[in-house]
Amino acid sequence: MKKIVGILLLLFTLSGCTTLDFPSSSGLENNSFTPTDNKLVAHFIDVGQGDASFIELPNKKTMIIDAGESYESDVVISYIEELGYDYIDYVIATHPHTDHIGGLADVLDTFDVDSIYMPKALSTSKTYENLLNTIDKHGYKVKTGKKGVEIVNEDDLKIDIVAPCQDSYSNLNNYSIVLKITYGEVSFLYTGDAEITSLKEITDDISADVLKVGHHGSNTSTSKEFLDLVKPSYAIISVGKNNRYDHPNSSTIKLLEEYTDKIYRTDISGNIVVTSDGQNIEVEVEK
Ligand SMILES: [Zn+2]
């Protein structure tokens, strides 16, 4: 049995800042800031209807998975700057939809990055072209994100891409990079907007304590069969208030209630921060 402790701290202040336990931004000035020792801190940033995740890894590296719509980039950038970082080691653009990659061009213009992973999907959208042009401008190379790619493989820390498994899909959502992070006994599964078509193809072990729920809680991304494999304790849904897609779907919420101990939603809780020492899990919310 995994030892899991869920601690809910109400951090909402008048300014909306989440300051408790967060590293001071003074590190930016003296450049001596290093990430929290031996902790993995997974931030689910509230960007309205969209996805933006930032992860402080226990190996002192950092990862961003999507950055919301382009008009949300300031929110994402100042959030990361407030944590004290001026670099991001791994950038994951799950798939070319604007609510995921929109903010990434500004992120690349702000932070130094090491590796960028994207699926081999085609899109002619202006936002996607802008991102590719920005990547070019900085001289970065894109690594293809697909099943079998290992991003980190250390004793205690593994980050694996488990989908997409095929080279082409009719629905752009199914190109989404699905990624599993395992730190000690604790694991996280990030699913982008991958739908059941893609999720069904996964052959890796996708059991995870924390599930970043697919496609903002749409019923096209969460099934009983999938949850039987993941067996999550916590579900995180990144979703905008009163969105026009009616996300999250009420049947998805019902299923998640059946399978998980607790569901967190950015439209209700604002920023959500999950911290783990490799054994225990703590959850803090902004409001
Ligand atoms: Zn989306």
Side-chain angles (χ1 to χ4, degrees), residues 196 199-200 219 221-228 255 259:
I196 291 163
L199 298 173
K200 263 172 35 184
N219 60 0
S221 293
T222 302
S223 65
K224 249 182 178 322
E225 293 72 21
F226 177 66
L227 293 176
D228 274 331
L255 259 186
Y259 276 83

Side-chain angles (χ1 to χ4, degrees), residues 49-51 66 69 94-95 97-100 173 176 192-193 212 214-216 238 245 247:
Q49 184 67 13
D51 265 19
D66 295 335
E69 295 279 0
T94 60
H95 68 296
H97 281 149
T98 59
D99 58 322
H100 295 253
N173 285 335
S176 288
D193 280 354
K212 164 68 184 43
H215 200 184
H216 323 286
S238 185
Y245 309 100
H247 290 158

